[in-house]
Amino acid sequence: MLRRILLPLLSALALTLVSVVPATADPAEQPRRMSQTVLYYDSSQAAEYTSAVAAAVNVWNSSVDNVRLEPAPAGRRAEIRVITDDGWPRAHLGPVRPGGQVTVWMGRQGTAEGYDAIRIAAHELGHSLGLPDAKPGPCSSLMSGSTGGVNCTNRAPNASERSRVEANYGSGLAGRSVTDGRLLVDRL
Ligand SMILES: [Zn+2]
């Protein structure tokens, strides 16, 4: 008799408990990994290279999982500032961390010599994410920079460049390394 009353009661209680647990977090947040580092960039001073910088950001966001670049909302300090000037393309060496700050200069000398603006932007952002130059190197390497050739339009990091950035923002030792801060000038 008691069982006949208790069992339906217990199963009703179990159903209630299940139903009050939120099914999942915000579905829009699901592709983002819990451990993903978000860095904000400010390209408001990138002038004519603004769209090249956005394209280079898309390249990085589709190439790595452990770090993601997003435009800084108004009033928020950006970890990566992008500034266009008349010098050579150059950048501080990262990996920059949330709350830190590095600068990318989209120097006009690079495109004046005929080099691809998006490849330059992706290369300089590679420095922000902790990749040093890999010169001389082939066009298939993003960090080979100008040594990849003036006609090189490869904007994508290769497998080892991708895995190094993943490690720089991963949970291992490399993921805790501090920003180098050196200024790397991509002079021809
Ligand atoms: Zn470089």
Side-chain angles (χ1 to χ4, degrees), residues 124-183:
E124 301 306 332
L125 287 172
H127 287 320
S128 306
L129 301 176
L131 295 181
D133 284 310
K135 299 175 181 177
C139 177
S140 57
S141 158
L142 181 61
M143 302 317 290
S144 69
S146 61
T147 66
V150 71
N151 294 320
C152 177
T153 56
N154 170 42
R155 293 91 177 243
N158 65 22
S160 68
E161 291 164 340
R162 290 196 306 270
S163 64
R164 185 157 177 182
V165 169
E166 296 286 39
N168 285 347
Y169 291 92
S171 53
L173 259 185
R176 294 193 291 274
S177 67
V178 295
T179 301
D180 182 298
R182 253 179 304 164
L183 179 63

Side-chain angles (χ1 to χ4, degrees), residues 74-89:
R76 191 193 192 284
R77 188 173 179 274
E79 279 84 12
I80 302 172
R81 297 188 307 155
V82 185
I83 298 171
T84 289
D85 70 4
D86 291 333
W88 292 103

Side-chain angles (χ1 to χ4, degrees), residues 14-27:
L15 278 174
T16 308
L17 284 175
V18 167
S19 64
V20 297
V21 173
T24 49
D26 182 355

